[in-house]
Amino acid sequence: MKAIVYEKYGSPDLLELREVKRPEPRPHEVLIKVLAAAVNKADWHLLRGEPLPIRLMAGLFKPKHKIPGADVAGIVERVGSKITHFRPGDEVFGDLSGSGFGSFAEYVSTDEKCLAKKPSKLSYEESAALPMAAVTALQGLLDQGRVEEGQEVLINGASGGVGSYAIQLAKAYGAHVTAVSSTAKVEIAYQLGADEVIDYKLHDFIKDSKQYDLIFDVVGNRSPKEIERVLKPGGTYVSCAFSLGALLLGPWKYLTERKKMINLLASTNPASLQRISKLVEEEKLRPVIDKSFTLDDVPEALRIIGRGQAAGKLVIAV
Ligand SMILES: NC(=O)c1ccc[n+]([C@@H]2O[C@H](COP(=O)([O-])OP(=O)(O)OC[C@H]3O[C@@H](n4cnc5c(N)ncnc54)[C@H](OP(=O)(O)O)[C@@H]3O)[C@@H](O)[C@H]2O)c1
């Protein structure tokens, strides 16, 4: 089968499209014929081996998993002897980051706990655009942020992969949404449902007097002290980008002003994927695809992700 392979950390130039052996499913695994994949910032970090702590999980000196790619959509080809939830022919989607990655390939064998049935009304490419980014937005806004109707919500980094789903979810739950994005993506943020958009190249939301009930941050470029200035008493800050300051300052701010500061580590599981499917069925969430690539183009897609230039998701049609 054809797969994108990398042997050492570095630039997208190190990625090669190669002929490799098709995997065999182990007893608790499902072999998927991949029809689409999508690119995430996590793929960029794993390609670079940066930030360095990522190597504790991904391999100290060279990547442990040679075929990258987390988001996937495809058809079950075969199942291992212990699989009960899936059978050949099932249409599935999922996030393989908890099971060795490998979606930038024609086939991948993966643990069933990474998968769910694909939303029936979506194409494979649309389905692949959802798992990691949409589940992160779901767990950040709904599970940790507990977004509620009528709340003032600010999304920092609103028109990338995670942010474009966060805008939609906050709106679906009745919040008044302020999106922070660059000039080029202001219109996209409005189209996704934002009530107000702050162009960060022209205006700094930290300097405003407005305060928010919930701030969902996918950029992590502001200090907790700056953030808490624009967080209402009793408000919640959820960060996707690990913030040591939020970790240290959080307990004190909660004790004194009931302000919560939370570092999110999202984890995809079948239940989260099914919630995403249901939101799609209810038309509260739709995939946001910036551009579609082929397997040969994975290096170029990763360059775009690395530069932070995607508006929504970049998908790979396999
Ligand atoms: N903790 C977790 O479990 C978890 C899970 C998934 C992702 N993440 C992390 O979340 C981050 C975002 O992921 P993603 O997939 O959404 O990446 P992405 O698609 O690259 O989106 C990031 C967005 O941030 C915006 N941005 C850059 N500088 C900004 C600034 N100064 N102010 C406001 N917005 C700015 C960019 O938009 P502009 O073009 O408008 O600048 C870009 O669209 C990554 O660091 C990723 O590693 C964490």
Side-chain angles (χ1 to χ4, degrees):
M1 68 166 190
K2 286 196 176 62
I4 290 286
V5 179
Y6 74 133
E7 305 276 358
K8 53 184 179 182
Y9 295 121
S11 82
D13 301 337
L14 296 171
L15 297 168
E16 282 178 30
L17 184 63
R18 283 196 207 155
E19 200 61 45
V20 300
K21 196 166 168 277
R22 195 172 100 168
E24 287 297 320
R26 287 183 288 192
H28 59 283
E29 285 185 345
V30 172
L31 178 69
I32 303 168
K33 179 177 169 56
V34 180
L35 294 175
V39 182
N40 286 286
K41 210 49 176 274
D43 301 313
W44 173 254
H45 294 312
L46 287 163
L47 170 65
R48 307 286 303 168
E50 293 167 354
L52 285 178
I54 208 173
R55 297 192 186 202
L56 294 174
M57 177 270 288
L60 222 42
F61 303 109
K62 57 183 183 172
K64 202 158 59 181
H65 305 294
K66 305 280 184 254
I67 304 177
D71 283 339
V72 70
I75 298 177
V76 173
E77 179 87 1
R78 279 176 46 208
V79 297
S81 56
K82 301 230 166 85
I83 297 296
T84 51
H85 284 93
F86 297 102
R87 53 182 187 203
D90 282 349
E91 299 182 320
V92 292
F93 78 135
D95 166 4
L96 314 185
S97 56
S99 176
F101 298 86
S103 68
F104 298 160
E106 289 178 320
Y107 291 87
V108 64
S109 189
T110 190
D111 198 302
E112 67 174 334
K113 70 177 189 295
C114 304
L115 301 171
K117 299 266 170 69
K118 165 181 123 15
S120 56
K121 59 163 76 163
L122 297 185
S123 69
Y124 289 101
E125 287 179 45
E126 288 170 325
S127 302
L130 287 165
M132 188 183 285
V135 166
T136 302
L138 178 92
Q139 294 180 352
L141 280 170
L142 274 59
D143 300 348
Q144 300 291 340
R146 300 190 177 277
V147 64
E148 281 176 20
E149 193 167 352
Q151 282 187 331
E152 287 289 348
V153 173
L154 178 126
I155 297 163
N156 189 32
S159 35
V162 177
S164 56
Y165 293 126
I167 294 178
Q168 297 182 66
L169 286 177
K171 277 309 292 174
Y173 280 77
H176 183 272
V177 178
T178 303
V180 181
S181 81
S182 61
T183 316
K185 296 180 188 164
V186 166
E187 205 42 53
I188 297 167
Y190 277 123
Q191 282 166 14
L192 290 168
D195 298 289
E196 294 173 46
V197 183
I198 297 175
D199 177 345
Y200 70 79
K201 303 221 175 206
L202 303 176
H203 189 79
D204 186 357
F205 70 92
I206 296 293
K207 296 193 173 131
D208 287 343
S209 56
K210 182 168 177 179
Q211 290 190 312
Y212 299 88
D213 298 289
L214 173 59
I215 298 176
F216 184 56
D217 189 0
V218 305
V219 187
N221 60 338
R222 312 313 298 241
S223 73
K225 275 208 155 310
E226 288 176 313
I227 290 289
E228 68 111 359
R229 202 179 299 150
V230 289
L231 194 60
K232 285 185 189 174
T236 303
Y237 169 67
V238 180
S239 176
C240 276
F242 178 74
S243 160
L244 183 63
L247 190 74
L248 299 175
L249 194 65
W252 173 247
K253 282 289 145 196
Y254 187 66
L255 270 176
T256 53
E257 297 170 53
R258 288 281 177 265
K259 289 181 180 178
K260 284 192 201 157
M261 298 193 133
I262 298 168
N263 276 302
L264 172 74
L265 188 58
S267 78
T268 306
N269 50 47
S272 302
L273 290 166
Q274 281 155 13
R275 286 167 73 195
I276 293 295
S277 279
K278 188 158 178 282
L279 288 160
V280 170
E281 295 293 330
E282 293 167 353
E283 301 192 348
K284 290 180 175 158
L285 191 70
R286 64 179 168 86
V288 183
I289 297 179
D290 182 355
K291 202 170 167 200
S292 180
F293 296 83
T294 60
L295 263 188
D296 328 36
D297 293 329
V298 166
E300 181 51 19
L302 274 160
R303 279 184 202 102
I304 296 170
I305 281 287
R307 291 193 295 263
Q309 285 177 337
K313 298 295 302 176
L314 305 180
V315 295
I316 312 294
V318 180

